[in-house]
Amino acid sequence: MAKRIEASNVSSYYGAFKAIDSVSMTVEPKTITALIGPSGCGKSTFLRSINRMHEVLPNARIEGSLTIDDQNIYDPDVDVTAVRRMIGMVFQRPNPFPTMSIYENAVAGLKLNGVKKKSLLDEAAEKSLRSANLWDEVKDRLDRPGAGLSGGQQQRLCIARTIAVEPQVVLMDEPCSALDPISTLAIEDLMFKLKDRFTIIIVTHNMQQAARVSDKTGFFSIDKTGDPGRLIEYDDTQKIFSNPTQKKTEDYITGRFG
Amino acid sequence: MGDYPSRSVNATAGDLGVTPRHAQGAGYGSSPSNHDEPPLGGGGALPKKARFSIEAGFRGLSTASGAMVLVIIVAIAVFLISKAVPALQANTGDFFTQFEWAPNEANPSFGIAALAFGTVLSSVIALIVAVPIALGIALFLSHYAPKRLATPLGFVIDLLAAVPSVVFGLWGRDVFQEPVRDFSIWLNKYFSWIPLFGGDGPFGQSIMLGGLVLAIMVLPIVTSLSREVFQQTPGMNEEAALALGATRWEMIRTAVLPYGKPGVIAAVMLGLGRALGETIALALTLSVAFDISFNLIENGGNSVAANIANSFAEANDTGRGALIASGLVLFAITLVVNMTARAIIYRRREFRDSAA
Ligand SMILES: Nc1ncnc2c1ncn2[C@@H]1O[C@H](COP(=O)(O)OP(=O)(O)OP(=O)(O)O)[C@@H](O)[C@H]1O
Ligand SMILES: [Mg+2]
């Protein structure tokens, strides 16, 4: 179910602006990888490059190579929708479809993939909502609007929507930044649970969260505004937080950044 | 507000109990000009609400304007009904079933059925033709065309909306009629077994010509409103759909169309409103007939508004009353259409409100 992601020398551009420069990292299956770093250093850009959401923006392009289990994600012959199905994404702000009910949101991805049978959809909805720790809270109001839930519930609904299609890899861009500590813990628990089935890459500004949930941590940084972001250090989370090799990393995690 | 009491000591008017109006924090034009006054956020005791203020003035003004609209509407309605009723009483035929419009005779006889039918039929044709094309253009402009192309194209469409209807009418009568007649003859030759395209002619100045001219007229309204609605789809919902592996068209079906549906319905209703009320374009393109026929291509057809334009000049008192009565019927049709649209829009309102 889970696959290895390998990035080598990935540089991403917005038009003429180079947002990240030559990022290389390998993410093992069934692990959680945290990406940390100051604002604007290209974490989101890198994450969006992995599932080819980067190229949705006008004039955005990447250089370098990204593979999933040795298949080139950016191969011109590859179907980009298949890549995105394989590599799901949870966004920073909860974004359930406003016109859809909770149930419809949960199965939106399946419907997009042509699943029509009611029994299959029902089953998938329950399974994904349970996996997202949301089932008990919403099982009596599945036909209510998804946007009527609390922020934390909406975010878990979005996670349910993402994992309902059973992707290989789940990318999360600051999934907890709009949430209270309890919802945050709920989502962290959820990540541990999902780790058995998916490869997870999460961007976070919360150092404790990175330390708590991740197996590996990548630290991104920029020298000054306008420069591209670089991957400064990538190692076991333990190592990064106890004994980083780079001075910059140490400064950042001890709060002496800048 | 833990420091509230200590701050009020510094406030000039704090000990008066009532702060003068100029010191009120949130009031307009109350920015402190010298440092003795409390900060904008207020200090001292809570000021009294002003008895007379710009606020109250505006409220009065807007209430009065609202009331005036009602008064005007009621006055117009009373006037129209008072004109229509005597004509309806003088009518020797049945207003709802008579296929004839002769209110100027000594024994006036007129009926609305054929006119109302023509109005609705021409508008329906217009919408059937215009809406799919309009939505296609709107989606193209909002989600497919590169910006360099979309902006000028959108501008051209908006220009089209500004063309006066008499221009469309003349163009329909003098230019567009030719191809429509040829097309009608072709349809008649091969599809006359469908009642819509039957008959023995003459063809051309038909309800189809009128409907098509109307379609061209409503196209820009529906297009430009729908485009605006589609553009307002939240980007993060579009991205959510794409990230689930949707193609662009699937993304549009999942995120854009459902989100835009109420707006599109509103746009279509506005277009329908224009088609129903359209006068001169139909007066110029239809050749007057007073019957109910589903034949689209034979000369004939009529509509309430076109009939008013055609007959008002030579109408006597009863004739005018009759035309006014027909206008009231048109008004009723438009009202029903609008209320239906609103009902559709509000049915799933809960889903939109929580989305805001
Ligand atoms: N759509 C865009 N168009 C142009 N430049 C962009 C766009 N999105 C991001 N950038 C630029 O790319 C750089 C990296 O942005 P990115 O969003 O990846 O940073 P980030 O590390 O995710 O920051 P944060 O922690 O604040 O989310 C920034 O300099 C940003 O200004
Ligand atoms: Mg970001």
Side-chain angles (χ1 to χ4, degrees):
Chain A
M1 271 314 293
K3 293 198 167 169
R4 170 188 290 104
I5 297 273
E6 208 165 333
S8 60
N9 296 317
V10 172
S11 303
S12 303
Y13 297 80
Y14 294 99
F17 175 66
K18 191 180 202 177
I20 53 173
D21 179 40
S22 224
V23 173
S24 303
M25 65 162 68
T26 305
V27 178
E28 295 298 332
K30 299 191 183 182
T31 59
I32 301 181
T33 301
L35 305 181
I36 58 171
S39 190
C41 65
K43 307 179 295 294
S44 300
T45 305
F46 178 65
L47 206 64
R48 291 167 60 93
S49 301
I50 298 177
N51 68 341
R52 294 186 63 170
M53 282 301 287
H54 181 61
E55 69 198 39
V56 167
L57 299 167
N59 299 323
R61 66 196 166 84
I62 86 151
E63 285 166 2
S65 100
L66 267 159
T67 61
I68 178 163
D69 273 7
D70 298 325
Q71 300 172 72
N72 183 2
I73 292 173
Y74 280 86
D75 190 321
D77 290 337
V78 158
D79 177 6
V80 54
T81 63
V83 169
R84 294 184 189 142
R85 273 198 297 272
M86 205 180 275
I87 310 176
M89 182 162 211
V90 177
F91 294 81
Q92 177 168 356
R93 279 175 61 198
N95 56 358
F97 295 116
T99 53
M100 292 187 192
S101 67
I102 294 171
Y103 175 90
E104 288 168 328
N105 262 292
V107 299
L110 290 167
K111 281 198 177 156
L112 278 173
N113 289 308
V115 181
K116 291 208 178 69
K117 227 169 121 198
K118 183 93 172 62
S119 58
L120 282 181
L121 292 176
D122 286 350
E123 201 178 303
E126 177 166 352
K127 186 174 171 210
S128 60
L129 287 169
R130 275 191 196 284
S131 304
N133 284 334
L134 189 61
W135 177 253
D136 291 330
E137 287 159 71
V138 300
K139 61 171 185 273
D140 302 322
R141 45 174 174 153
L142 290 173
D143 57 343
R144 310 290 299 158
L149 297 171
S150 79
Q153 291 170 330
Q154 285 186 31
Q155 192 63 299
R156 277 178 282 153
L157 178 57
C158 292
I159 293 176
R161 179 177 68 186
T162 304
I163 60 182
V165 289
E166 302 270 327
Q168 312 284 332
V169 179
V170 178
L171 310 175
M172 299 185 173
D173 194 351
E174 300 181 43
C176 304
S177 65
L179 306 185
D180 70 296
I182 298 189
S183 308
T184 302
L185 279 182
I187 288 185
E188 287 179 14
D189 283 346
L190 175 57
M191 284 191 266
F192 277 121
K193 247 171 69 187
L194 298 180
K195 198 172 121 170
D196 295 341
R197 289 153 59 202
F198 308 105
T199 306
I200 298 177
I201 306 179
I202 173 180
V203 170
T204 177
H205 277 292
N206 182 332
M207 231 62 82
Q208 288 86 10
Q209 182 172 61
R212 269 195 306 265
V213 300
S214 67
D215 303 297
K216 289 222 171 195
T217 298
F219 170 64
F220 281 75
S221 189
I222 36 174
D223 291 335
K224 59 180 188 338
T225 334
D227 282 359
R230 289 194 175 80
L231 180 62
I232 304 295
E233 189 167 357
Y234 176 56
D235 213 329
D236 290 343
T237 299
Q238 271 260 260
K239 175 100 185 338
I240 294 265
F241 281 95
S242 57
N243 184 20
T245 18
Q246 300 289 321
K247 173 91 168 50
K248 268 190 190 160
T249 316
E250 190 179 345
D251 286 352
Y252 184 75
I253 60 172
T254 52
R256 264 181 285 130
F257 179 76
Chain B
M1 280 306 254
D3 59 349
Y4 189 74
S6 67
R7 279 230 248 144
S8 72
V9 173
N10 298 332
T12 43
D15 46 355
L16 288 177
V18 175
T19 313
R21 169 109 186 99
H22 71 265
Q24 185 186 341
Y28 285 108
S30 65
S31 71
S33 47
N34 63 61
H35 0 264
D36 289 344
E37 287 186 18
L40 265 183
L46 286 176
K48 279 245 163 65
K49 191 168 81 182
R51 208 177 278 260
F52 299 102
S53 61
I54 297 182
E55 178 71 25
F58 271 122
R59 186 179 318 143
L61 203 67
S62 52
T63 313
S65 326
M68 194 145 82
V69 169
L70 278 182
V71 169
I72 293 174
I73 287 180
V74 169
I76 292 177
V78 167
F79 170 78
L80 291 180
I81 291 171
S82 72
K83 291 280 176 187
V85 165
L88 289 174
Q89 281 167 343
N91 191 0
T92 57
D94 186 313
F95 183 62
F96 291 106
T97 56
Q98 191 81 11
F99 290 160
E100 171 181 40
W101 196 264
N104 302 321
E105 315 291 317
N107 279 329
S109 161
F110 53 90
I112 191 72
L115 295 176
F117 176 82
T119 300
V120 172
L121 183 59
S122 57
S123 302
V124 167
I125 294 174
L127 287 190
I128 289 176
V129 174
V131 169
I133 300 176
L135 294 188
I137 300 177
L139 276 179
F140 174 73
L141 292 180
S142 65
H143 283 87
Y144 285 95
K147 215 176 161 125
R148 261 173 302 122
L149 189 64
T151 314
L153 221 61
F155 183 68
V156 169
I157 302 248
D158 287 347
L159 269 186
L160 208 60
V163 175
S165 46
V166 65
V167 174
F168 281 112
L170 287 172
W171 173 79
R173 191 189 64 180
D174 296 341
V175 181
F176 196 42
Q177 195 184 328
E178 288 295 318
V180 169
R181 179 182 301 127
D182 296 345
F183 180 57
S184 298
I185 291 171
W186 180 83
L187 275 176
N188 185 253
K189 192 163 163 197
Y190 295 101
F191 295 98
S192 58
W193 47 272
I194 305 175
L196 292 177
F197 308 125
D200 333 295
F203 303 112
Q205 292 194 321
S206 57
I207 200 88
M208 181 151 92
L209 175 63
L212 289 178
V213 170
L214 281 185
I216 296 170
M217 292 174 61
V218 301
L219 187 76
I221 310 179
V222 181
T223 305
S224 116
L225 287 175
S226 309
R227 176 181 65 132
E228 215 126 288
V229 169
F230 292 149
Q231 274 172 342
Q232 278 165 12
T233 314
M236 59 182 197
N237 287 320
E238 298 179 1
E239 291 207 329
L242 290 175
L244 284 171
T247 60
R248 190 179 286 241
W249 168 238
E250 287 167 341
M251 179 273 280
I252 286 172
R253 257 182 21 213
T254 313
V256 179
L257 292 181
Y259 185 86
K261 192 168 131 199
V264 168
I265 293 174
V268 170
M269 287 306 142
L270 268 177
L272 182 55
R274 176 157 192 202
L276 287 172
E278 178 47 42
T279 309
I280 198 69
L282 286 182
L284 286 169
T285 48
L286 300 180
S287 76
V288 177
F290 280 97
D291 57 351
I292 290 191
S293 157
F294 278 99
N295 188 312
L296 302 184
I297 57 175
E298 267 190 316
N299 279 7
N302 214 332
S303 85
V304 176
N307 182 52
I308 294 178
N310 283 330
S311 346
F312 209 86
E314 60 259 31
N316 61 18
D317 250 8
T318 315
R320 284 190 194 169
L323 290 174
I324 286 172
S326 73
L328 284 171
V329 170
L330 178 58
F331 174 66
I333 295 175
T334 330
L335 205 67
V336 168
V337 164
N338 263 311
M339 290 192 335
T340 317
R342 268 170 207 275
I344 299 172
I345 293 171
Y346 279 105
R347 215 181 40 206
R348 274 170 72 90
R349 178 167 151 214
E350 167 191 33
F351 276 75
R352 284 186 59 83
D353 281 2
S354 52

